Structure formats: C-alpha cells, structure tokens
C-alpha cells in the first residue's frame, strides 16, 4: 500500500540510466517509500525515454530530467559498467545532472558511483 507523501516530504529523485540493475533501482522506493510519507520518491530518465535495464527489461521512468531541479536528494542506482563506459561518462546523464541544485544530496548505489565521479 502506497502512502501519499506529506506536503513537506523530502523529495528523492532516482536517476535511471541505461544498463540499470532492477534490484538497485527498487531499493530507494522500498526503503524510503515505506517511511510513512516522509519521502516522496520519484524516478527520472536522462531524456524522458524508456531505459534499457541490464536484464531483458525496459523501464519507463515516471519523469524526465526536469524533476532533478526539484530534488532534495538524487540517487543513482547501480548500472552495468564496461571498460568503455568507465572511461567516458554518458553526456546525456551529465546534462541531466547539471539540473541538480547546489546543496542537493547526491547518493550512489554500487556502480552508480562511476557516474557521480564523472560529474
């Protein structure tokens, strides 16, 4: 059962990138979404399009990158890393993250740290 967030709920935006691991994508909603309405947890894609997960899944985030500007916390879940992706940060993801306000908490889960390091 999903509870509606309180008016002053802490806004968390989970940035969904190509190759996302579905388990890591679900962690923020599972943990923070069950905190009695203290957090509003949303997903955002880098360009408003569906995102290919690491498995045979396609994920459609609920929002585009514009909601990153409203976030109190941005979470980047783990995603598949290759030698090429570790060497070059995705420009669409960097563009999306440029919308984040100064002072916003940035959190990574597992390999999501590569994207944070690239910013």
């Amino acid at each position: 059962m999903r509870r509606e967030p309180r008016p002053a709920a802490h806004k968390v935006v989970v940035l969904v990138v190509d190759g996302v691991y579905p388990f890591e994508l679900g962690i923020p909603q599972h943990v923070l979404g069950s905190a009695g309405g203290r957090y509003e947890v949303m997903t955002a894609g880098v360009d408003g399009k569906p995102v290919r997960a690491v498995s045979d899944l396609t994920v459609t985030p609920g929002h585009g990158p514009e909601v990153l500007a409203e976030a109190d916390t941005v979470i980047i879940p783990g995603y598949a890393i290759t030698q090429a992706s570790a060497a070059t940060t995705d420009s669409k993801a960097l563009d999306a993250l440029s919308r984040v306000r100064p002072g916003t908490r940035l959190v990574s889960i597992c390999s999501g740290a590569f994207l944070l390091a690239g910013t």
Side-chain angles (χ1 to χ4, degrees), residues 79-103:
Y79 59 96
I81 299 289
T82 63
Q83 279 187 321
S85 68
T88 306
T89 306
D90 178 1
S91 63
K92 286 184 182 179
L94 289 177
D95 287 345
L97 286 169
S98 72
R99 298 170 182 254
V100 176
R101 294 174 296 161

Side-chain angles (χ1 to χ4, degrees), residues 5-86:
R6 292 189 234 172
H10 186 92
K11 189 175 284 191
V12 177
V13 178
V14 181
L15 183 61
V16 187
V17 298
D18 281 329
V20 68
Y21 290 109
F23 178 77
E24 281 84 356
L25 177 58
I27 290 172
Q29 179 61 48
H30 181 71
V31 174
L32 301 174
S34 63
R38 289 185 205 94
Y39 298 93
E40 177 184 5
V41 182
M42 304 181 301
T43 56
V46 298
D47 57 10
K49 298 178 183 175
V51 178
R52 187 80 176 154
V54 74
S55 57
D56 188 28
L57 295 171
T58 300
V59 178
T60 303
H63 304 274
E66 66 281 351
V67 297
L68 291 166
E70 305 166 13
D72 298 309
T73 298
V74 173
I75 299 177
I76 302 169
Y79 59 96
I81 299 289
T82 63
Q83 279 187 321
S85 68

